[in-house]
Amino acid sequence: MAKLEYKFRPSKTVQRGMIVDVCRRLSVFAPLPEYQYVGFGGLEFIDFDLMHRALGITNMTSLEKDFRAIERYEFNAPFKTVKVLAGSSSEQLIYVDWAPLSIVWLDYVCELERSVLETDIALLCARLQPGSALFVTLNAHPEAVEAKRKEKLAKNVGEDRIPSGVTGENLAIWGLADVQRTILTDAIEEGLRNRPVPAKWHQVLNIRYADGGKMQTLGGVVVGPGMQKSVEQCGFGELDFVRTGKDALVIRVPMLTQRERLHLERQVPLESGASLDLPGLSQEDKDAFLAVYRYERLAS
């Protein structure tokens, strides 16, 4: 069961706002209310609330692994058009109608695993319509004992999927996130390449954050033949948090008092060449504030 109180997970809130901003750009492919949203609602359905209010999406499906509490999830669904399927994603994704364009957010709490790659990702790569968006969130916190890190990764995904040269030492800090992104990207690209009509993966997000343990999110768009111009028209590159390669955006929400936050908010958006003014605040914290302030209160 998903934990409550998202207000105590500020980086998660910022990430959620960035995902919504990316999804707004999908209107190049079709009006956003024509998309469906598929995700893990939990008891608070925060993502579902945002997808409806910000994008106008009404066709929504929540996959809830905790089938014993399914009545409680159904009670907490925020809108009458939210369908709740009882069971894990590997069990229930097959029952979703994939005819519409889709926005899918697989917001796992686990590390990358075989079931994610061989069931969830394989199915989505086979069935997502071109113009659909896929976001995958994973636990990226490395094993504490260096000697056990590679062994655990091999157990999770299979030895054959681990890139050559990976060691327990370079799986430390954000090293596991680097490797998981490579493995996940390879799986997505292979799955899209093997469709009857091959498609391509256009990455738009590579995010890392740590409200507690380290987490990562990879996101992108399924691009069909002849759609490259439409992808360019989406203007993803205009969003300063978009990352299309290995280099990741690390979300960091600065610790500020309410008075400090209000003082900074009165100064934004900054005019060209201007800088934030707050006595005693480091430039690093000022930069972090500018990067996230638009998204901090979306789920509050």
Side-chain angles (χ1 to χ4, degrees):
M1 183 179 294
K3 294 181 180 180
L4 301 178
E5 301 295 353
Y6 272 89
K7 64 185 178 181
F8 298 121
R9 301 167 65 187
S11 299
K12 182 78 172 182
T13 298
V14 169
Q15 175 192 239
R16 183 175 291 109
M18 291 176 174
I19 287 176
V20 169
D21 257 6
V22 165
C23 291
R24 285 191 175 99
R25 305 287 174 129
L26 299 174
S27 61
V28 169
F29 301 115
L32 294 175
E34 294 183 8
Y35 276 78
Q36 69 170 334
Y37 177 66
V38 179
F40 307 154
L43 289 176
E44 293 181 300
F45 286 90
I46 301 297
D47 311 326
F48 288 73
D49 189 86
L50 272 177
M51 289 293 172
H52 177 64
R53 296 184 191 280
L55 306 181
I57 294 174
T58 57
N59 182 4
M60 296 183 281
T61 301
S62 182
L63 312 175
E64 300 300 341
K65 188 175 182 179
D66 186 14
F67 63 91
R68 290 168 297 184
I70 198 64
E71 290 183 356
R72 190 177 181 194
Y73 289 106
E74 290 173 339
F75 175 82
N76 281 285
F79 310 109
K80 65 181 181 181
T81 55
V82 176
K83 297 185 291 291
V84 180
L85 298 183
S88 67
S89 53
S90 61
E91 296 169 334
Q92 296 299 325
L93 281 172
I94 194 171
Y95 297 112
V96 176
D97 178 8
W98 296 108
L101 286 165
S102 304
I103 297 169
V104 181
W105 186 1
L106 302 178
D107 191 6
Y108 301 109
V109 295
C110 64
E111 297 150 356
L112 190 59
E113 297 177 347
R114 279 192 179 92
S115 63
V116 172
L117 296 166
E118 297 174 2
T119 304
D120 297 4
I121 297 302
L123 183 146
L124 291 170
C125 287
R127 301 196 182 185
L128 283 176
Q129 298 295 327
S132 295
L134 171 63
F135 305 93
V136 181
T137 296
L138 298 164
N139 187 320
H141 207 79
E143 174 70 32
V145 181
E146 180 179 321
K148 295 183 178 180
R149 289 174 191 152
K150 187 175 179 180
E151 177 184 349
K152 184 177 182 181
L153 179 61
K155 182 179 179 180
N156 284 347
V157 302
E159 184 78 38
D160 58 317
R161 289 193 175 97
I162 301 177
S164 61
V166 171
T167 66
E169 182 180 5
N170 56 36
L171 288 172
I173 312 176
W174 288 110
L176 177 59
D178 289 333
V179 175
Q180 289 190 148
R181 177 202 164 271
T182 297
I183 295 170
L184 180 57
T185 299
D186 288 347
I188 293 172
E189 290 179 343
E190 180 181 3
L192 294 176
R193 189 167 55 245
N194 291 336
R195 291 159 64 117
V197 179
K200 294 184 178 180
W201 173 244
H202 181 82
Q203 179 185 309
V204 292
L205 290 183
N206 183 11
I207 291 175
R208 299 172 183 176
Y209 64 95
D211 288 323
K214 291 180 170 64
M215 303 293 292
Q216 67 180 120
T217 296
L218 183 71
V221 178
V222 177
V223 181
M227 292 180 63
Q228 190 56 46
K229 187 173 181 180
S230 295
V231 173
E232 294 171 1
Q233 291 173 344
C234 290
F236 294 122
E238 297 169 6
L239 301 170
D240 57 10
F241 54 80
V242 161
R243 298 291 187 274
T244 59
K246 295 181 179 179
D247 292 338
L249 169 75
V250 179
I251 295 175
R252 189 178 73 83
V253 180
M255 296 294 292
L256 300 168
T257 67
Q258 184 66 10
R259 184 175 182 181
E260 290 171 336
R261 190 173 302 280
L262 290 173
H263 179 72
L264 292 174
E265 287 178 349
R266 293 190 190 102
Q267 301 175 53
V268 292
L270 289 177
E271 297 180 1
S272 179
S275 59
L276 289 173
D277 172 44
L278 181 61
L281 191 67
S282 70
Q283 187 60 48
E284 182 182 16
D285 280 345
K286 291 178 183 178
D287 292 341
F289 171 82
L290 287 173
V292 305
Y293 79 89
R294 288 181 51 229
Y295 305 106
E296 284 186 274
R297 302 189 185 188
L298 283 178
S300 60

